[in-house]
Amino acid sequence: MGDSRCTSHRATGAVFGRMSLATLVPFALLLPTLRVSAQLMGSPLDCHKTCVCASNIVSCSKMNLTNVPTGLPRYTAVLDLSFNSITRLRAEWTPVILGRLHSLSLNNNGLTFLSSEAFVSVTKLQYLDLSSNCIRLLDEFIFEPLENLEVLLLYNNCISQIDRTAFSSLVNLQKLYLSHNQISRFPLELVKERSRLETLRLLDVSSNRIKVLPLHELQALPAWIKNGLFFHNNSLPCTCQLYDMVARWHLRGLISATDFRSSHTCVLPGQKKEKMAIMDLNKVSLNCSEVKVLDEEAFLEQFLVLDCDTRQRDMQKSWVLPGNVPLSAANTTAVMRQDSSISIGPLRAEDSGVYICYATSDSFNETLYVTVVVFNSTKSSGLENLKTAYTTLVACLVSLVMILIYLYLTPCNCPCCPGYGLEKTEPRDSLNSSTVSIAQACKDTGQESLEGSGGGFPFRHMGFQEIKDQVEHNGRLNPIGEEDEELQGENRDRRRSDAESVSSVCSDTPMVM
């Protein structure tokens, strides 16, 4: 029998010796393919040498495996393949559908490739550990079949790119760990309203390369999301806005801020790029204003909404009004809304006080206190007073301008003005001669008399219009318009008195009124 085996080997050697090089090349190319195929298939499951099988648990940890063992039982619920050398997870890593598998551990394997169909056969997974590998990117819809997944561990990889739709199908995801990667963009779509995963309550993006945070959007998130949002140990620039947000989270007792107080650091501006604790920015560097919890302030007749923003979701909430009065349906001023907040209004002065929200659950209780201060005035009254003051000021300015125009504006002497170039008539020819005109006439008459009489008593000759023609003009005329007969009776006396008055105007003697 041994001779025959040797004979066969000699015959085989003689055959290969007579074969040409061109005939051996296809066989040489086929050998790597057969070897790769053997590696893809993996070795059969051995529950005595390479794995430990306990009921529906299969543990093949630290066995230096390069592929997933074949022949896994269909009833497998927990599969542990951690600490091996499985670098690629292909679509055919399990030829059978594992419909009961809910926990899969592939951490510490050096994984560099995940097929887009790698999880088609394990759609019931609830726990997936891919941490401590060499994964660099997450393609779109890579986790699409895992609608039941609740916990996903991807920390300590080399992830630098995440498609915005990579986690969109994980409708039941509760915890996502992305720390210790090379992520430079904060995945706001995971927590932002309308696009966030509704069940996600923990998102860890700490120890990455994030340099910008959407502070306004993060501050507007509910407390049960902020309580599980970890972003410490990133290269964030130091700003007072960042300090304000972190300080408020500290005051609320959110564990994402309180448990990692020393790890919340930022980079100071300058060439040295020194790191500093965010909570110390109000003391040394930027001198940011200290953050304090402000009370709710409102005016009479306004409406106010008080939120019971708890650190956990889906809690039973109840309110107690000032004076330790439980909120009831009979209360018409304060009404509880569907989101467990209360609407108060129209506000009265007696609505001021401390409002208490009690939140309870099976594992956690929380009490929130909100102090409301109602000012004893309406908000519109202040605006009305401001409007009145503004109107008064405008009226005073207009009056001042009109007075200045009345006092200092000279008559128009421009060629475009009506009456320009007309010669002035003698004072006696004018029906409305002013005292200035009379004074000028007196001055001229006086000079003529002095020249004619040789220094004697000046004779003043003035011409006046008949009184009956000036009933409606100024002077010593009767404003009520008597008959001409009455005016003629007193004509001589009036002429005399008028002459004396004109003489007094023309004289140098001061007038006494």
Side-chain angles (χ1 to χ4, degrees):
M1 185 174 180
D3 294 337
S4 62
R5 187 172 59 248
C6 292
T7 304
S8 62
H9 279 290
R10 291 192 190 98
T12 305
V15 172
F16 277 99
R18 291 191 297 266
M19 294 178 66
S20 62
L21 182 60
T23 309
L24 292 176
V25 169
F27 288 97
L29 296 176
L30 184 61
L31 289 176
T33 305
L34 296 175
R35 188 177 303 170
V36 172
S37 178
Q39 291 179 354
L40 292 177
M41 293 300 297
S43 58
L45 177 64
D46 189 348
C47 292
H48 300 286
K49 295 182 179 180
T50 57
C51 299
V52 176
C53 303
S55 183
N56 59 355
I57 299 175
V58 177
S59 178
C60 305
S61 179
K62 299 180 180 180
M63 292 298 175
N64 199 27
L65 300 176
T66 57
N67 291 284
V68 180
T70 60
L72 294 172
R74 294 179 180 272
Y75 56 80
T76 303
V78 179
L79 178 59
D80 186 3
L81 298 171
S82 61
F83 294 94
N84 284 289
S85 300
I86 306 173
T87 59
R88 302 174 69 86
L89 190 64
R90 298 177 174 83
E92 61 275 6
W93 67 271
T94 172
V96 297
I97 296 178
L98 302 177
R100 299 183 185 181
L101 187 67
H102 61 74
S103 178
L104 175 60
S105 298
L106 284 165
N107 55 296
N108 294 279
N109 268 282
L111 271 172
T112 58
F113 173 75
L114 290 176
S115 173
S116 59
E117 299 179 356
F119 305 106
V120 174
S121 300
V122 289
T123 57
K124 300 299 182 180
L125 273 182
Q126 298 178 7
Y127 178 91
L128 177 59
D129 188 356
L130 297 172
S131 63
S132 300
N133 284 294
C134 300
I135 303 173
R136 295 185 176 276
L137 58 91
L138 298 176
D139 295 328
E140 58 179 350
F141 305 113
I142 189 172
F143 301 110
E144 184 176 12
L146 304 179
E147 295 181 355
N148 298 298
L149 193 64
E150 298 178 357
V151 180
L152 177 57
L153 288 79
L154 288 165
Y155 64 86
N156 196 25
N157 275 278
C158 304
I159 301 174
S160 59
Q161 298 181 10
I162 301 177
D163 191 89
R164 295 180 182 271
T165 60
F167 308 106
S168 60
S169 59
L170 303 179
V171 294
N172 290 305
L173 189 65
Q174 300 178 11
K175 299 180 180 180
L176 177 58
Y177 297 87
L178 292 168
S179 62
H180 296 278
N181 281 285
Q182 300 176 8
I183 302 172
S184 58
R185 182 188 67 87
F186 182 85
L188 183 62
E189 65 274 4
L190 297 178
V191 294
K192 189 178 180 180
E193 191 175 3
R194 296 182 180 179
S195 65
R196 66 180 176 220
L197 302 176
E198 292 296 333
T199 57
L200 186 66
R201 64 173 186 266
L202 189 149
L203 175 61
D204 186 4
V205 292
S206 61
S207 301
N208 276 282
R209 298 181 179 179
I210 300 175
K211 295 183 179 180
V212 178
L213 281 179
L215 299 178
H216 181 72
E217 288 80 1
L218 296 183
Q219 189 70 356
L221 294 175
W224 62 269
I225 292 182
K226 295 187 288 189
N227 192 56
L229 185 56
F230 301 89
F231 58 87
H232 53 276
N233 283 334
N234 277 286
S235 301
L236 301 173
C238 293
T239 60
C240 288
Q241 291 79 9
L242 178 62
Y243 163 77
D244 182 83
M245 186 185 74
V246 176
R248 290 180 183 275
W249 291 20
H250 270 274
L251 292 175
R252 284 297 314 271
L254 304 180
I255 61 174
S256 58
T258 57
D259 291 357
F260 298 91
R261 181 186 178 96
S262 60
S263 299
H264 276 283
T265 59
C266 59
V267 180
L268 291 173
Q271 296 180 353
K272 296 182 179 180
K273 303 295 181 181
E274 296 180 357
K275 285 191 175 183
M276 185 177 184
I278 296 178
M279 292 303 297
D280 293 335
L281 291 179
N282 66 324
K283 301 176 182 178
V284 182
S285 298
L286 301 183
N287 194 22
C288 299
S289 302
E290 185 178 358
V291 176
K292 297 181 180 179
V293 177
L294 300 177
D295 299 331
E296 294 287 346
E297 298 178 349
F299 295 88
L300 295 177
E301 300 180 2
Q302 279 188 325
F303 285 84
L304 187 63
V305 177
L306 303 181
D307 293 324
C308 189
D309 196 8
T310 56
R311 289 177 288 173
Q312 286 193 6
R313 195 181 186 186
D314 300 330
M315 302 182 70
Q316 297 294 330
K317 301 174 183 178
S318 60
W319 285 88
V320 175
L321 306 181
N324 201 22
V325 178
L327 179 61
S328 62
N331 194 311
T332 57
T333 304
V335 180
M336 179 177 287
R337 308 186 346 175
Q338 293 182 353
D339 57 354
S340 298
S341 62
I342 59 172
S343 175
I344 311 171
L347 289 175
R348 303 167 298 177
E350 52 268 24
D351 292 329
S352 299
V354 179
Y355 292 76
I356 306 175
C357 176
Y358 295 102
T360 59
S361 65
D362 296 337
S363 59
F364 181 78
N365 296 331
E366 187 175 1
T367 304
L368 298 179
Y369 298 88
V370 183
T371 303
V372 175
V373 178
V374 180
F375 295 104
N376 194 18
S377 63
T378 60
K379 189 174 182 179
S380 59
S381 62
L383 297 177
E384 291 176 356
N385 294 335
L386 181 61
K387 292 179 180 179
T388 303
Y390 178 76
T391 305
T392 304
L393 178 61
V394 172
C396 292
L397 292 176
V398 172
S399 301
L400 180 60
V401 171
M402 296 299 295
I403 292 174
L404 293 176
I405 293 175
Y406 179 77
L407 293 177
Y408 297 103
L409 188 62
T410 57
C412 180
N413 294 323
C414 300
C416 60
C417 297
Y420 176 77
L422 297 178
E423 295 182 356
K424 295 182 180 180
T425 59
E426 292 296 330
R428 58 180 175 268
D429 297 333
S430 175
L431 296 177
N432 301 308
S433 299
S434 62
T435 57
V436 177
S437 301
I438 297 174
Q440 183 66 28
C442 295
K443 183 177 179 180
D444 298 339
T445 308
Q447 292 178 355
E448 293 175 358
S449 62
L450 287 175
E451 293 175 356
S453 61
F457 184 79
F459 176 76
R460 298 176 177 85
H461 178 75
M462 301 295 297
F464 293 94
Q465 190 182 8
E466 293 295 331
I467 298 178
K468 65 180 181 179
D469 296 334
Q470 299 187 23
V471 175
E472 298 178 359
H473 292 286
N474 198 1
R476 295 180 178 272
L477 307 178
N478 192 343
I480 59 177
E482 288 85 350
E483 297 294 333
D484 292 341
E485 293 80 3
E486 297 178 0
L487 293 176
Q488 290 177 359
E490 299 177 358
N491 188 20
R492 182 171 301 181
D493 295 335
R494 288 183 181 273
R495 288 178 180 269
R496 182 178 180 181
S497 61
D498 290 341
E500 292 176 356
S501 62
V502 171
S503 176
S504 63
V505 171
C506 297
S507 65
D508 296 333
T509 305
M511 298 175 61
V512 179
M513 301 298 294

